[in-house]
Amino acid sequence: MKLSDTTILLTKAKRIAKRWMPYLGAFLYGMRTYETSEVPTAAVDAYGRLYVNPEWIAQWKPKTVAYVLLHEVLHLALSHAKRRASLLPECSEEQAG
């Protein structure tokens, strides 16, 4: 099985991000990644799934993608989805990512 270019880029970026912030390694490597054009850039949901737009992510170097990953991981680490759901009860957890 051949790995996609997006997977290769994300793997390199995860290694860089883990070097910068090793305490976030469990989040970085625990996220299940989905390539989709449904998001314009990148996003995480309340269940720790990472969604990336392969066309958008392909334009960046691994160091830049590492920053993007850390940004998304911090949403998980800081429980933003849960906090948003508690502030906006009409939002479902699926929408709160």
Side-chain angles (χ1 to χ4, degrees):
M1 179 173 91
K2 184 178 183 282
L3 296 175
S4 73
D5 292 340
T6 302
T7 300
I8 294 167
L9 178 59
L10 288 170
T11 300
K12 289 177 183 178
K14 284 179 183 181
R15 288 183 188 139
I16 294 167
K18 189 174 180 217
R19 273 198 311 264
W20 291 340
M21 295 188 172
Y23 46 88
L24 294 175
F27 287 105
L28 283 165
Y29 287 98
M31 292 186 298
R32 188 168 186 97
T33 304
Y34 298 90
E35 295 181 32
T36 179
S37 59
E38 296 289 318
V39 296
T41 57
V44 291
D45 66 14
Y47 305 102
R49 295 176 290 216
L50 173 68
Y51 303 94
V52 294
N53 184 314
E55 291 179 18
W56 180 80
I57 208 105
Q59 67 185 322
W60 305 110
K61 295 186 185 296
K63 277 189 176 181
T64 303
V65 176
Y67 280 111
V68 171
L69 290 176
L70 289 171
H71 172 90
E72 296 303 331
V73 159
L74 285 170
H75 286 300
L76 296 174
L78 298 172
S79 300
H80 284 176
K82 289 178 186 172
R83 289 179 50 222
R84 179 176 173 186
S86 70
L87 293 172
L88 302 170
E90 65 277 5
C91 288
S92 69
E93 278 202 6
E94 197 64 37
Q95 294 170 322

